[in-house]
Amino acid sequence: MKVQRWLSSILLSGAILALATTAQAHVNVYPKETKTGAYEKYTVRVPVEKDVNTTKVRLEFPDNVKVSTVMPIAGWDYAFEKDSEGRNKAITWTATAGGLKPHEFMEFAFVGANPKETGELTWKAYQTYADGETVEWTGDKDSKTPASVTTVNAGAGEDDHGAAQTAAPAQAAAQTGGSSNTLPTVLAGLALLVAIIGFFRKKA
């Protein structure tokens, strides 16, 4: 009975880790919060959720965000799509060296000029796999394939673009690297520790 309880606790910690990881396994655009009028560095995180390579990623820009600068990445080409007025409305990254393998992820970066009004920016993404399937990350927040959303708060003015670009990498790192990657591990570790302590107390 004691062994069964111990094993159940371990399985529970594994389930917590799996659920937390799954919640983050979507195409997301960071930061999740930004300021009006800022020139923001946006980062698109793309995980591979199938046993097939990801070979193409297309991202549609919100109508009120102006994008003209993109960070080049080895092994990937990119191309902007323009609307009838010549504004960049989307970008497509295409793999030139096999793409992203299963269990890998990639981060694509670009700089966009934020709108002057507060509100929400919805980023619609399309992830194409080597087998031809395209996953459309365009749904609402409760769907299986939600579009990423960034909240624009009142703050930085148009003349603050230098400071905004300097602060963006740190903000993106805090929101993308820290909490999303370490939280599942911490939760699983705590659950496992509690299970081990309980096991030895009962044994004693």
Side-chain angles (χ1 to χ4, degrees):
M1 179 66 70
K2 291 182 179 179
V3 174
Q4 290 179 342
R5 291 178 178 175
W6 182 57
L7 290 176
S8 297
S9 298
I10 293 178
L11 291 174
L12 176 61
S13 66
I16 293 174
L17 175 60
L19 288 172
T21 303
T22 301
Q24 296 295 331
H26 299 321
V27 172
N28 273 297
V29 178
Y30 297 94
K32 290 299 184 181
E33 292 188 8
T34 186
K35 301 294 185 180
T36 55
Y39 280 70
E40 186 70 86
K41 176 187 175 183
Y42 289 101
T43 302
V44 188
R45 175 177 292 180
V46 181
V48 178
E49 296 185 325
K50 296 179 54 177
D51 292 328
V52 182
N53 289 16
T54 289
T55 56
K56 183 183 297 185
V57 178
R58 180 178 180 270
L59 181 73
E60 294 181 357
F61 305 135
D63 292 338
N64 48 359
V65 176
K66 297 179 180 179
V67 178
S68 59
T69 305
V70 61
M71 180 181 292
I73 298 179
W76 292 80
D77 282 340
Y78 65 86
F80 285 111
E81 298 175 34
K82 298 182 180 294
D83 61 18
S84 59
E85 298 179 354
R87 183 189 71 89
N88 290 328
K89 67 176 185 179
I91 186 172
T92 299
W93 289 277
T94 304
T96 59
L100 295 176
K101 300 176 182 178
H103 310 297
E104 294 183 341
F105 75 94
M106 176 69 76
E107 291 185 335
F108 304 92
F110 60 90
V111 174
N114 286 346
K116 298 179 182 179
E117 302 78 19
T118 60
E120 291 187 340
L121 304 176
T122 300
W123 309 91
K124 294 183 178 181
Y126 304 82
Q127 181 178 8
T128 300
Y129 288 89
D131 60 2
E133 179 187 2
T134 297
V135 179
E136 299 184 358
W137 300 97
T138 59
D140 59 39
K141 63 179 181 179
D142 297 322
S143 68
K144 293 183 179 180
T145 54
S148 186
V149 176
T150 298
T151 301
V152 181
N153 299 314
E158 291 181 281
D159 294 333
D160 295 331
H161 62 277
Q165 288 192 60
T166 302
Q171 184 181 13
Q175 294 185 355
T176 63
S179 61
S180 62
N181 287 334
T182 59
L183 180 59
T185 304
V186 171
L187 290 174
L190 288 175
L192 181 59
L193 179 61
V194 170
I196 293 175
I197 292 175
F199 170 73
F200 283 107
R201 282 183 176 177
K202 292 176 181 179
K203 187 175 181 180

